[in-house]
Amino acid sequence: MLTMKEVRIHAFGGPEVLSIDDVPRPQPRDDEVLLRVVASSVNPVDYKIRSGQYGGSRQSNLPIVLGRDVSGVVELCGTRAHTLKKGDPIFAMLDHDRGGHAEFVVVKATEMAAKPDDTDHLQAASVPLAGLTAWQALFDHGKLKAGQRVLIHGGAGGVGHFAIQFAKAKGAWVATTVSKDDLEFARSLGADQVEDYKNELFEDLVEPVDVVLDLISGETQDRSWAVLKPGGILVSTLSEPSKEKARERQASGVHFMTQSNAAQLAEIGKLIVEGKVRPHIDAVFDLAEVGNAEARLEKEHVRGKVVLQVSSPP
Ligand SMILES: NC(=O)c1ccc[n+]([C@@H]2O[C@H](COP(=O)([O-])OP(=O)(O)OC[C@H]3O[C@@H](n4cnc5c(N)ncnc54)[C@H](OP(=O)(O)O)[C@@H]3O)[C@@H](O)[C@H]2O)c1
């Protein structure tokens, strides 16, 4: 039987619960492929699931394989996966029923797109969950259009650094809040106005916007109503915005969960190929160092994405 290594948790807790287990390689169903994973990336959802903070975390789901992002090459095609062949490079955001911190994973057609040319697997693996979150927040939920104004909180993080670039590529005007160390980084991504969230009050400095992208929640979300135009939309990845405050402001609020979307991933890949978007990698760790990778994202100041090198590129 062919085996592989994958990162699993058998209990919720600190980094010590991360276990690198030898397990059988999965088999793709007819319309799926088996991917040889070259790189994966770490997202806040990974340490939230690990520590049991994530809404859907249940003892009965254990053991859980972590990791939503993968980039790699097709190893084996299901009998109906006709458009792909062994060796094709793809990247994907996996649904919650599987994990990408593994040497091999089964990927569905609805989750994957061709890896952007001239982008290595480390860069490609940094994109799917964070990129799709930024995309769906701005365009599906925020309805952001060319010429509109958007305020992005947390613009230097995984989601935020893609959101700034997507909004600029769309032709929107972008303000963002970041730490002092990231002011220049956010400007380099194209942000028109950059505020230091620890030392400035954004509501005193940013003129009204059409869309707020809230990647922080709490008082940052509460204070954001003050900068929203009537008719504007507050989109949060973390908590349901107050209906009362939305009414007072004649605006609306939405909380959403990011979904895999092959067509949107392909659109994002196109922007990367065109040079309009570039993923920023903060640090790279080996699969065996996944605990350090999660600790870096959770406890330290990260710019862009933390990535896992799972295997050597073919
Ligand atoms: N609903 C969903 O489906 C979904 C999908 C993706 C992400 N999320 C959630 O969205 C959040 C952001 O994700 P991410 O991947 O971008 O996380 P991340 O990479 O950890 O980035 C978070 C960023 O926020 C900054 N920050 C912290 N406090 C801030 C504040 N008060 N004002 C402005 N910026 C602040 C941090 O900067 P410093 O390090 O300088 O403090 C960091 O750059 C996470 O909580 C994640 O779980 C939800």
Side-chain angles (χ1 to χ4, degrees):
M1 182 181 54
L2 291 170
T3 61
M4 64 168 196
K5 294 196 184 310
E6 71 181 10
V7 178
R8 301 201 294 186
I9 55 166
H10 299 265
F12 298 114
E16 69 285 351
V17 301
L18 294 164
S19 166
I20 301 197
D21 294 345
D22 283 308
V23 297
R25 274 190 208 177
Q27 282 295 318
R29 286 194 289 243
D30 291 353
D31 55 348
E32 297 171 340
V33 301
L34 180 67
L35 190 75
R36 178 183 288 271
V37 180
V38 176
S40 183
S41 83
V42 181
N43 292 286
V45 68
D46 297 317
Y47 61 72
K48 290 180 186 178
I49 291 175
R50 190 205 69 219
S51 60
Q53 294 168 45
Y54 191 71
S57 303
R58 292 198 181 79
Q59 293 283 344
S60 56
N61 295 339
L62 294 169
I64 295 170
V65 193
L66 297 175
R68 309 291 305 280
D69 293 327
V70 284
S71 180
V73 292
V74 172
E75 175 72 12
L76 198 64
C77 293
T79 51
R80 283 194 285 117
H82 296 305
T83 52
L84 290 163
K85 59 181 185 318
K86 185 171 177 177
D88 283 348
I90 62 169
F91 70 148
M93 175 184 148
L94 306 172
D95 291 339
H96 270 294
D97 56 338
R98 282 147 297 136
H101 296 171
E103 289 177 320
F104 291 89
V105 72
V106 160
V107 184
K108 301 174 196 167
T110 50
E111 297 169 333
M112 64 177 143
K115 179 175 78 64
D117 289 342
D118 298 332
T119 302
D120 64 28
H121 286 286
L122 294 171
Q123 290 170 305
S126 76
V127 176
L129 175 57
L132 286 168
T133 302
W135 190 277
Q136 291 169 18
L138 293 173
F139 306 130
D140 292 351
H141 302 286
K143 318 279 182 217
L144 185 71
K145 293 177 190 62
Q148 287 193 323
R149 298 165 56 84
V150 57
L151 168 61
I152 297 165
H153 291 301
V159 177
H161 92 292
F162 285 120
I164 293 174
Q165 298 180 76
F166 294 166
K168 289 307 297 175
K170 185 82 175 177
W173 181 93
V174 177
T176 189
T177 55
V178 298
S179 291
K180 195 167 171 209
D181 284 353
D182 288 324
L183 294 170
E184 265 320 302
F185 174 60
R187 285 189 194 107
S188 77
L189 300 171
D192 300 284
Q193 181 175 355
V194 185
E195 301 300 344
D196 168 0
Y197 77 83
K198 288 182 182 148
N199 294 301
E200 309 281 4
L201 286 174
F202 63 83
E203 60 272 40
D204 292 346
L205 298 164
V206 177
E207 296 289 321
V209 297
D210 301 280
V211 178
V212 172
L213 172 48
D214 163 36
L215 302 169
I216 311 300
S217 192
E219 58 129 24
T220 301
Q221 185 184 106
D222 286 343
R223 286 163 45 214
S224 292
W225 296 107
V227 297
L228 206 54
K229 290 181 188 174
I233 306 177
L234 190 160
V235 183
S236 178
T237 57
L238 286 165
S239 59
E240 200 64 57
S242 154
K243 290 201 171 22
E244 201 185 322
K245 287 185 180 141
R247 240 189 334 266
E248 277 168 19
R249 197 73 196 168
Q250 295 173 288
S252 57
V254 59
H255 167 241
F256 78 103
M257 299 304 291
T258 308
Q259 307 297 325
S260 305
N261 187 312
Q264 291 177 347
L265 198 54
E267 285 288 312
I268 294 170
K270 227 166 93 190
L271 289 177
I272 294 172
V273 170
E274 289 166 1
K276 294 182 179 154
V277 168
R278 62 185 161 83
H280 183 89
I281 294 181
D282 176 89
V284 181
F285 293 85
D286 288 338
L287 186 65
E289 301 175 301
V290 61
N292 293 338
E294 286 190 4
R296 168 109 187 104
L297 181 63
E298 186 175 5
K299 306 236 162 31
E300 296 172 30
H301 175 85
V302 167
R303 189 175 287 170
K305 292 281 304 176
V306 174
V307 176
L308 290 178
Q309 176 94 57
V310 177
S311 65
S312 308

